[in-house]
Amino acid sequence: MSAIESRPGSSDAAVIDVGSNSVRLVLYRLDGRAIWSVFNEKVLAGLGRDIARTGELSPDGVTVALTALRRFRALIDASRPPLIFAAATAAVREATDGPLFRQRVEAETGITLRVLSGEEEARYAALGVLAGEPMARGLVGDLGGASLELIRLDGDTPAAGVTLPLGPFSLPQQSRFDPGRVRAAVERAVTPEVRKAFSADTLNAVGGAWRNLALIHMRISDYPLEILHHYEIGWREVLDLVRFVSQQSKGSLERIEGISKRRLENLPHAAVVLEGLIERLDIHKVSMSAFGVREGLLLQSMTEDVRRLDPLLAGCAALGQRAAVAEALGKALEDWITPAFEQLPPLFGAREGTLIGAASRLAEFGASLHPDHRAELVFEHVLRAPLAGVDHAERAFLACAAFARHTASASPPRPQLLSRLLTPERHQRARALGAALRLGCELSGRNPELLARARLSLRPAVLSLEAEDEWAPLLLGEQTAKRAATLAGLLEREPRLRPMGARARTVEALG
């Protein structure tokens, strides 16, 4: 059974996204608040390529799009997901023959396209960003083929948005890229009113062209973790990146590993638009989001109770092959470990408790893997898992904790990556958290009821592990003492194991 196969509480969904440049089908698995992409097929049809010149959809693009949509309909009919969304954005919305295209799609494929307004597109893009990072704040910018949507995020509900004609297809195509022409378009579109309404410290960037720019930045900065979601770039580095991209030939850009060859022609345009937004909206940081309109549609469909759940905790529980067991054991471990770790100085601020909860829900992950390789395999999987609601430093922290959950080795994989993403203090804390998870799991045999018979606590120089009197002979054995000593050493304390009644007798004697 794979990590995201059907299980109680999970469901399937399909989203067809007809954009100005690409037509895409994504099949998803929803595990509560966790959103997993299990199939993703994209066709670059270029529907909006001719809009600036003719006002109509590209005839070739229409042919390509209809062919793709017929295939997508067959795939959906075969998989039969209970939730299906089909949406079209700027090109179909703005083209004079957009209604005719929509009619053809329904007649030839049976798919009814919902044409999103500019404000709806902006709102769903913002909801998508929140689906991937509930704590995201600032400005969402979604750059598509024909338009740029901007919307503010000041809380859980997106504010009003705006659509600007700044996609690469919004300007008449020329044989050579002219950055001055794009800068002039940005200046016209980002009016004083737009500047006042949408200036922000952080831009949450959505769109394939901007993701490819971030990938180039990863390559030239030798960044060790190739995960675009939550990848952050300071404004000075963005401006340096824009200059770099504008000076490269198409051949030079094609040689950069991982860059989409079909998106190369739009990269310079995307770079100049990003430069203009930074300069005019006082942006200091760009944070990449792998989520967007499609995930926003899914988030909107969830009940309010599900939307309030933490996607990181849901995702970590779902990674376990027995999700119900992982959730029950994870919650029990979280409750067991938290009182002790609350005595330590926080290293992740308000995120401390969430990370303990996430690591606890990963304790069951890897149970079916070969024991000789389990720690290394779990480390790599957690590091790269498509989890939402987690930044890169937190990923590395959780990967180290998962590694330490299965081994006492002080040498996790990829030490150079860890040294770049984690401070020594955070790395040490991750090892301690993993050791605490290992202690709890082995003490109780991964049974929440037995775990509740013991208590872990910290004092300035002592790590205390107590068990109820009648359970102490069964729970506080040699193996438990060994695991407790490992944890105590990582926390620079002396281990002390005893029945709970011993503490009461000591207090009574002292009294």
Side-chain angles (χ1 to χ4, degrees):
M1 186 182 195
S2 69
I4 47 179
E5 282 188 52
S6 293
R7 58 176 66 88
S10 70
S11 63
D12 296 327
V15 180
I16 294 174
D17 179 2
V18 179
S20 302
N21 195 24
S22 64
V23 179
R24 188 186 297 260
L25 167 67
V26 186
L27 301 180
Y28 293 93
R29 182 65 40 79
L30 308 179
D31 281 305
R33 181 64 172 75
I35 299 174
W36 310 95
S37 168
V38 297
F39 179 83
N40 189 328
E41 184 169 311
K42 173 185 67 178
V43 175
L44 290 177
L47 273 175
R49 187 176 299 277
D50 297 339
I51 282 183
R53 180 173 56 86
T54 68
E56 298 180 344
L57 298 173
S58 162
D60 291 340
V62 168
T63 300
V64 172
L66 286 169
T67 300
L69 291 171
R70 282 191 285 270
R71 169 173 162 77
F72 293 169
R73 177 57 191 261
L75 293 174
I76 289 175
D77 287 346
S79 58
R80 296 191 295 275
L83 285 174
I84 302 172
F85 300 92
T89 53
V92 179
R93 179 173 69 237
E94 296 173 6
T96 56
D97 58 347
L100 177 61
F101 172 77
R102 185 172 177 272
Q103 292 170 10
R104 285 192 62 185
V105 169
E106 185 161 6
E108 296 181 27
T109 71
I111 297 171
T112 301
L113 284 179
R114 174 186 174 186
V115 181
L116 301 180
S117 68
E119 185 166 330
E120 286 177 324
E121 187 176 354
R123 182 173 180 274
Y124 283 120
L127 286 173
V129 169
L130 289 173
E133 177 45 74
M135 299 306 294
R137 296 296 181 265
L139 178 67
V140 173
D142 183 0
L143 181 65
S147 64
L148 167 70
E149 277 68 46
L150 297 177
I151 189 166
R152 291 190 64 85
L153 280 180
D154 295 320
D156 296 336
T157 303
V162 66
T163 295
L164 304 178
L166 289 177
F169 297 156
S170 64
L171 300 177
Q173 301 298 296
Q174 293 185 334
S175 57
R176 294 188 61 183
F177 175 69
D178 182 358
R181 190 172 65 128
V182 179
R183 290 190 179 98
V186 173
E187 188 172 352
R188 289 193 301 271
V190 184
T191 62
E193 292 75 18
V194 171
R195 295 182 68 167
K196 181 178 180 180
F198 295 101
S199 292
D201 180 76
T202 300
L203 171 67
N204 298 278
V206 177
W210 280 346
R211 286 194 293 271
N212 274 272
L213 282 175
L215 185 57
I216 292 175
H217 187 265
M218 282 184 170
R219 296 283 188 268
I220 62 179
S221 62
D222 197 27
Y223 190 73
L225 182 59
E226 293 184 2
I227 293 177
L228 288 169
H229 186 61
H230 223 304
Y231 182 65
E232 296 181 348
I233 316 174
W235 68 273
R236 289 188 178 86
E237 294 175 277
V238 172
L239 296 182
D240 289 341
L241 177 63
V242 169
R243 298 185 191 101
F244 173 83
V245 170
S246 64
Q247 293 170 3
Q248 302 303 306
S249 67
K250 183 179 179 181
S252 297
L253 293 175
E254 285 178 341
R255 288 193 289 272
I256 300 176
E257 183 182 354
I259 299 298
S260 170
K261 304 299 186 291
R262 296 289 301 274
R263 290 193 184 273
L264 276 177
E265 60 182 304
N266 295 330
L267 276 182
H269 178 101
V272 174
V273 170
L274 187 55
E275 174 191 44
L277 294 181
I278 287 173
E279 292 175 345
R280 286 165 175 77
L281 300 180
D282 299 323
I283 291 164
H284 289 84
K285 180 177 67 176
V286 177
S287 180
M288 306 306 302
S289 177
F291 289 32
V293 170
R294 293 182 294 275
E295 291 75 21
L297 288 164
L298 295 177
L299 185 67
Q300 180 68 43
S301 73
M302 297 177 183
T303 66
E304 187 175 346
D305 287 344
V306 172
R307 287 178 61 179
R308 282 200 296 262
L309 298 175
D310 188 291
L312 177 59
L313 298 182
C316 287
L319 281 178
Q321 293 191 338
R322 296 184 296 161
V325 174
E327 180 61 35
L329 176 62
K331 186 64 172 66
L333 286 166
E334 178 186 4
D335 293 342
W336 190 73
I337 290 171
T338 296
F341 273 63
E342 283 180 338
Q343 304 304 309
L344 302 171
L347 300 180
F348 286 90
R351 294 283 292 166
E352 202 87 11
T354 300
L355 293 177
I356 291 174
S360 298
R361 284 158 178 79
L362 290 169
E364 179 74 359
F365 181 53
S368 66
L369 301 176
H370 194 291
D372 292 348
H373 309 288
R374 185 178 292 151
E376 291 80 5
L377 293 172
V378 167
F379 174 91
E380 293 292 348
H381 196 121
V382 172
L383 187 67
R384 295 184 174 87
L387 294 166
V390 59
D391 66 24
H392 289 195
E394 293 168 348
R395 279 180 177 277
F397 180 85
L398 291 176
C400 286
F403 178 82
R405 150 71 180 95
H406 296 289
T407 179
S409 171
S411 303
R414 308 190 66 177
Q416 291 182 334
L417 177 147
L418 295 179
S419 65
R420 186 160 175 179
L421 295 181
L422 289 179
T423 64
E425 293 79 13
R426 285 180 168 182
H427 188 186
Q428 183 78 353
R429 182 68 59 82
R431 292 182 60 200
L433 178 55
L437 292 169
R438 194 178 193 197
L439 170 62
C441 287
E442 296 194 8
L443 172 150
S444 65
R446 299 188 297 180
N447 184 291
E449 293 182 5
L450 289 181
L451 186 64
R453 304 290 183 179
R455 182 177 304 153
L456 180 69
S457 60
L458 296 181
R459 285 180 289 177
V462 174
L463 178 143
S464 178
L465 179 62
E466 301 172 312
E468 295 176 3
D469 285 6
E470 63 272 28
W471 291 95
L474 302 177
L475 300 181
L476 303 183
E478 180 180 350
Q479 185 74 351
T480 298
K482 180 180 176 181
R483 300 302 180 217
T486 299
L487 174 58
L490 290 168
L491 295 175
E492 299 181 342
R493 284 165 168 79
E494 291 295 325
R496 181 175 298 170
L497 280 67
R498 61 185 182 183
M500 288 183 184
R503 176 177 57 177
R505 289 190 293 273
T506 300
V507 171
E508 183 178 346
L510 289 174

